[in-house]
C-alpha cells in the first residue's frame, strides 16, 4: 500500500515522501496514525543523523520514519496478536522499548514504524513488551501527549533522597518539600508544573523560572497559582532575567534552606550549575533536558555532594507504567496534557517544523499525518476564522476550553478533512 511519511536519510536530511508499505507478517500490526506530537528529540535526531545512538548506521540506504509520540487506530492484526488486539480500536504507544538491551525505538530506528506517517507497522517487539496500549479516551492527541507526559512522570519518579541511618533510597520527590523547575515555562515544563499537583505525596512549594515574560504569562494563565493553592501547593513564577532570578533571591524563597528537588528543563550550563548550587541538604537535581552536544559538561559542587548529601541524576523517557499513569490521570481530568499544545499541523508541515523547532519557541505541536495543513497556532484561529469556517469553529471550541486544544476541536478538524475517527477502513491493497 502507498502511504505518506516523513523519513530521515541522515543529518539534516528529512523528506516527506510517498512510498510503499509492505504487507504485515503474522507477528506485526498495521495501524493508522491519527496524531503524532512533535518532540525536540526528533530535532536532535535530525541534527545527528547516523551518529545518534538510536539511529541505524545504514540510514542513508534504509531511511527511518520519524515521530514517536503516536496514537491512532488499529487497522489489521497479525495472527499472533488477534486474541489481544482487534481492528478499529484506538491505541497509544510507549516507544522506549529497550528490547533485548538494544536502543531501537519507533520514530528513530525503524523503516516502517514511526508517527510521521499516515500508516505504519508495529514490529513484534512493541507488542511483546506491552508497549502497544489499548486506549479508550476521546481525544487522540491526549494519547500522543501521554508519551511526553510519561517522561515527566518518570522524571519525578526517578528523583530520590537518602536515609543516612540505613542508606535506603526514598524514591520520588520529598513530600512537603520545595521543588525548583528551571527553564520551566516551555511545553514540557508546563507538564512538570501540573503533574505534582496530582500527587498524593505532593510538595509544599513549586518555584518555576523562565526568562521569557510571554511564556511566563502563558504558563501562569494555564497552571494558575490558584489551581495549585487548591491542591495545597504554593506556586511561584519567577522571571530569571532580573534580580528575582539570582541565586540569592531564589534561595530566599526557601528561607535559605535550599531546594529538596530541582529539575533542569533547558540544556544550558549556567542553569545546571545554578540548580546544583541551590540544592538543600539531601537535595536531588534531575538534569531533564537532553543536550545535543555529547561532550556537554558543567561544574558540580562535590563538596556539597560529600558533606550535604546532594545528588545529581538525569532521566530520559518514561516506562510503560509511567505512560499508563499519565493516561489514567488524563482520563480522570486531573492532568491536562493540552496545556502543552500551542500549534497543530498536517504531515506536509512536519519536516520543516522539526527543522525549525529551536527557533519556533512554541509549545507542543500536534501533527495529524492523514491530512495536509500548514503549521498553525491556536492563537491564530480567531483571525483565520474570519474567512475560514473551520477555523471559526476551532476558535469557538478552544475558547470554550480555556484556550486549549481539546477533543471537540480535534473532531472538528478531522471531520473537516474527511478523516473518520475510529474503525478505519482497510486501505486498498492491504
Amino acid at each position: 500500500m502507498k502511504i505518506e511519511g516523513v523519513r530521515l536519510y541522515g543529518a539534516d536530511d528529512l523528506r516527506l515522501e510517498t512510498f510503499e508499505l509492505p504487507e504485515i507478517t503474522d507477528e506485526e500490526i498495521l495501524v493508522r496514525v491519527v496524531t503524532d506530537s512533535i518532540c525536540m528529540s526528533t530535532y536532535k535526531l535530525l541534527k545527528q543523523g547516523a551518529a545518534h545512538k538510536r539511529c541505524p548506521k545504514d540510514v542513508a540506504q534504509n531511511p527511518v520514519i520519524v515521530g514517536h509520540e503516536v496514537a491512532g487506530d488499529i487497522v489489521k492484526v497479525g495472527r499472533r496478536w488477534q486474541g489481544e488486539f482487534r481492528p478499529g480500536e484506538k491505541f497509544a504507544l510507549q516507544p522506549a522499548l529497550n528490547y533485548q538491551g538494544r536502543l531501537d525505538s519507533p520514530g528513530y530506528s525503524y523503516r516502517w514504524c514511526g508517527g510521521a506517517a499516515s500508516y505504519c507497522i508495529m514490529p513484534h517487539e512493541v507488542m511483546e513488551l506491552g508497549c502497544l496500549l489499548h486506549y479508550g479516551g476521546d481525544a487522540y492527541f491526549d494519547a500522543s501527549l501521554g508519551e511526553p507526559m510519561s517522561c515527566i512522570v518518570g522524571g519525578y519518579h526517578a528523583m530520590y533522597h537518602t536515609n543516612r541511618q540505613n542508606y535506603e533510597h526514598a524514591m520520588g520527590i520529598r513530600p512537603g518539600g520545595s521543588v525548583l523547575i528551571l527553564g520551566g515555562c516551555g511545553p514540557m515544563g508546563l507538564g512538570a508544573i501540573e503533574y505534582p499537583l496530582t500527587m498524593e505525596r505532593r510538595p509544599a512549594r513549586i518555584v518555576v523560572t523562565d526568562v521569557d515574560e510571554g511564556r511566563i504569562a502563558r504558563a501562569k494563565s494555564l497552571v494558575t497559582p490558584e489551581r495549585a493553592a487548591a491542591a495545597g501547593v504554593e506556586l511561584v513564577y519567577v522571571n530569571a532575567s532580573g534580580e528575582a532570578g539570582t541565586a540569592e533571591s531564589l534561595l530566599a524563597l526557601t528561607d535559605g534552606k535550599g531546594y529538596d528537588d530541582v529539575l533542569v528543563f533547558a540544556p544550558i550550563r549556567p542553569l545546571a550549575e545554578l540548580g546544583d548550587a541551590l540544592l538543600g541538604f539531601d537535595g536531588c537535581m534531575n538534569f531533564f533536558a537532553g543536550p545535543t552536544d555529547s561532550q556537554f559538561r558543567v561544574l558540580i559542587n562535590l563538596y556539597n555532594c560529600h558533606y550535604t548529601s546532594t545528588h545529581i541524576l538525569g532521566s530520559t523517557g518514561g516506562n510503560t507504567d509511567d505512560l499508563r499513569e499519565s493516561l489514567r490521570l488524563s482520563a480522570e481530568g486531573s492532568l491536562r496534557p493540552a496545556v502543552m499544545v500551542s500549534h497543530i499541523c498536517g504531515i506536509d508541515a512536519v519536516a520543516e517544523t522539526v527543522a525549525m523547532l529551536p527557533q519556533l519557541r512554541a509549545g507542543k505541536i500536534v501533527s495529524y499525518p492523514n491530512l495536509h495543513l500548514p503549521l498553525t497556532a491556536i492563537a491564530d484561529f480567531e483571525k483565520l476564522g474570519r474567512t475560514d469556517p473551520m477555523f471559526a469553529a476551532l476558535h469557538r471550541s478552544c475558547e470554550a476550553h480555556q484556550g486549549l486544544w481539546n477533543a471537540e476541536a480535534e473532531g472538528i478538524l478531522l471531520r473537516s478533512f474527511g478523516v473518520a475517527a475510529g474503525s478505519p477502513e482497510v486501505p486498498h491493497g492491504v
Side-chain angles (χ1 to χ4, degrees), residues 129-182:
L129 295 169
C131 291
L132 189 67
L133 303 183
H134 303 274
Y135 175 65
D138 294 329
Y140 291 93
F141 80 89
D142 266 351
S144 276
L145 292 173
E147 195 284 328
M149 189 60 76
S150 77
C151 301
I152 293 165
V153 172
Y156 274 96
H157 288 331
M159 308 292 280
Y160 71 97
H161 300 277
T162 58
N163 184 320
R164 283 192 166 186
Q165 292 180 337
N166 57 25
Y167 304 108
E168 291 181 357
H169 288 191
M171 300 306 299
I173 64 172
R174 175 163 286 141
S178 293
V179 171
L180 175 62
I181 304 175
L182 295 170

Side-chain angles (χ1 to χ4, degrees), residues 369-380:
N370 273 279
L371 55 87
H372 283 216
L373 178 74
L375 179 65
T376 309
I378 294 172
D380 291 337

Side-chain angles (χ1 to χ4, degrees), residues 76-193:
K76 188 176 181 181
V77 181
R79 184 175 290 109
R80 179 180 175 186
W81 306 108
Q82 287 178 1
E84 186 174 346
F85 298 94
R86 58 180 177 77
E89 68 173 312
K90 296 176 183 176
F91 73 88
L93 174 69
Q94 168 53 265
L97 304 182
N98 298 314
Y99 182 69
Q100 296 181 349
R102 302 200 308 263
L103 291 175
D104 293 355
S105 176
Y108 299 87
S109 316
Y110 291 97
R111 293 185 68 188
W112 314 124
C113 185
S118 50
Y119 291 78
C120 73
I121 296 173
M122 293 293 166
H124 66 89
E125 52 263 39
V126 171
M127 286 71 75
E128 286 179 20
L129 295 169
C131 291
L132 189 67
L133 303 183
H134 303 274
Y135 175 65
D138 294 329
Y140 291 93
F141 80 89
D142 266 351
S144 276
L145 292 173
E147 195 284 328
M149 189 60 76
S150 77
C151 301
I152 293 165
V153 172
Y156 274 96
H157 288 331
M159 308 292 280
Y160 71 97
H161 300 277
T162 58
N163 184 320
R164 283 192 166 186
Q165 292 180 337
N166 57 25
Y167 304 108
E168 291 181 357
H169 288 191
M171 300 306 299
I173 64 172
R174 175 163 286 141
S178 293
V179 171
L180 175 62
I181 304 175
L182 295 170
C185 290
M188 295 295 280
L190 286 170
I193 301 166

Side-chain angles (χ1 to χ4, degrees), residues 40-48 51-52 266-268 287 289-296 358:
M40 184 62 77
S41 294
T42 302
Y43 172 79
K44 296 169 188 174
L45 173 67
L46 173 62
K47 301 311 291 182
Q48 294 178 357
H52 193 284
I268 301 171
F287 184 69
T292 55
D293 179 6
S294 63
Q295 300 301 310
F296 185 82

